[in-house]
Amino acid sequence: MIRILTDSAADLTCADAALPGVTVVPLQVNFANGDTALDGVDITGDEYYARLKTEDKLPRTSQPSPDQFIEIFEDARAAGDEVVAVLLSSTLSGTWQCARLAAETCEFEDLYLVDSRTGSQGEAILVREAVRLRDEEGRSAAEIAAALEELKGRIRILGVIDSLKHLHKGGRLPAAVALVGGALGIKPVLSVVDGEIKLADTARGRPGALVAMFKQIDKLGGIDPAYGYVLLYSDDKRTVAPVHRYLHENRRLTGGRTAQLGAVIGTHIGPGCAALVFVVPPAEKAPEAPAETAPEEA
């Protein structure tokens, strides 16, 4: 059997996490008062964002220990199984390094580690593709890992957030960038490509920021309809309504999913996030850009 392993930063839906052979290793959130919670186990997304609004200090997140991975790897080896592990970008977390250390420690050879170079539903896209390749195409673990290595380079995340303060406090953005995106009334547009979080654009007000985000879609390569798309929100599902409307009415895209940003990445993004996760087509098949229209507030 081929097991598909991932971490809780993938923000899998309950349906995805329940797929046969899928295992999720939780990361941990640590609050200033000493409370700890396993992401997706001890606290839901809604519970987390409600508490985040009351915290004076930004919670800290921590990756699983090598011992947690060793236990999983040794169990798989004892069962004669192979493992394809799709993990949070090594540029954003030490999770991938911990898994690699665990693999070296227990000398588990039937293991393929995939540094997703993304997070949240970007990871989830890779997990779903791994399951599809295993169950529908009968691919080997080595073939699945090779296909994911190709696909991960085509995954893009674009998002509008209320503030860059959480990313700055968490050390994910330098102060100079946070200052540019923190001017009064200015909403930042972020992109995540190949594991790097960047300030892609800024605009005054959320409607303007959404238009700026829509323009970034084609700058980043366009959307491959074969993989659909994911609408990603943090504390308020209504924030993604204008994004859904734009994709449906302007781009005639269907097959979208909606998911909540979990506690781990949500710690660094904060409330008010409306994001789009998608896969770009091969360069020779990139679509032409449609006309842009200003969205209405959700």
Side-chain angles (χ1 to χ4, degrees):
M1 177 182 175
I2 299 173
R3 302 188 188 190
I4 310 299
L5 175 68
T6 192
D7 53 67
S8 62
D11 295 334
L12 295 188
T13 63
C14 292
D16 287 334
L19 291 170
V22 172
T23 300
V24 179
V25 181
L27 279 76
Q28 186 169 284
V29 180
N30 308 300
F31 296 94
N33 70 349
D35 289 349
T36 62
L38 292 177
D39 180 29
V41 177
D42 299 327
I43 192 167
T44 67
D46 288 335
E47 291 169 344
Y48 178 73
Y49 289 109
R51 178 163 180 174
L52 185 62
K53 293 176 182 177
T54 69
E55 293 290 313
D56 293 329
K57 293 185 178 180
L58 190 68
R60 300 180 65 85
T61 58
S62 57
Q63 66 262 19
S65 69
D67 286 343
Q68 290 174 268
F69 286 109
I70 288 173
E71 182 178 353
I72 294 170
F73 295 159
E74 289 185 342
D75 181 71
R77 182 171 57 187
D81 293 340
E82 297 177 288
V83 174
V84 176
V86 180
L87 301 170
L88 178 60
S89 174
S90 61
T91 62
L92 303 176
S93 168
T95 302
W96 185 85
Q97 288 89 339
C98 285
R100 183 177 63 177
L101 177 61
E104 293 171 351
T105 300
C106 66
E107 300 180 347
F108 182 35
E109 297 180 356
D110 295 324
L111 168 65
Y112 299 85
L113 294 177
V114 178
D115 178 356
S116 71
R117 304 294 294 178
T118 185
S120 190
Q121 285 292 313
E123 274 186 85
I125 287 174
L126 294 174
V127 170
R128 288 191 290 270
E129 180 66 1
V131 172
R132 188 191 70 80
L133 291 171
R134 181 194 65 186
D135 296 348
E136 296 181 15
E137 298 190 11
R139 300 279 194 95
S140 67
E143 290 171 333
I144 293 171
L148 298 185
E149 289 291 343
E150 187 280 329
L151 180 60
K152 74 182 188 182
R154 295 164 53 198
I155 293 176
R156 307 284 188 267
I157 301 178
L158 284 167
V160 172
I161 61 176
D162 282 342
S163 168
L164 294 175
K165 68 178 183 180
H166 291 83
L167 278 168
H168 173 48
K169 288 181 179 179
R172 265 60 180 185
L173 279 180
V177 175
L179 182 63
V180 170
L184 184 63
I186 295 297
K187 297 296 183 184
V189 179
L190 298 179
S191 68
V192 182
V193 179
D194 194 28
E196 293 189 24
I197 301 176
K198 294 184 177 181
L199 180 63
D201 205 344
T202 59
R204 189 166 297 280
R206 182 168 285 262
L210 288 171
V211 170
M213 184 178 84
F214 299 154
K215 291 178 179 178
Q216 287 290 325
I217 293 173
D218 292 294
K219 290 182 179 180
L220 295 185
I223 299 175
D224 188 341
Y227 293 91
Y229 60 86
V230 184
L231 302 174
L232 193 58
Y233 68 96
S234 52
D235 59 322
D236 188 350
K237 190 175 182 179
R238 293 172 297 179
T239 59
V240 298
V243 187
H244 177 264
R245 187 160 53 247
Y246 167 78
L247 295 173
H248 180 71
E249 296 178 359
N250 291 61
R251 289 183 175 260
R252 304 294 188 265
L253 287 173
T254 58
R257 298 166 178 259
T258 301
Q260 186 173 34
L261 193 64
V264 169
I265 297 190
T267 295
H268 305 288
I269 295 298
C273 172
L276 171 65
V277 187
F278 60 100
V279 176
V280 301
E284 65 274 12
K285 296 181 180 179
E288 296 182 0
E292 306 295 339
T293 58
E296 301 173 359
E297 285 282 11

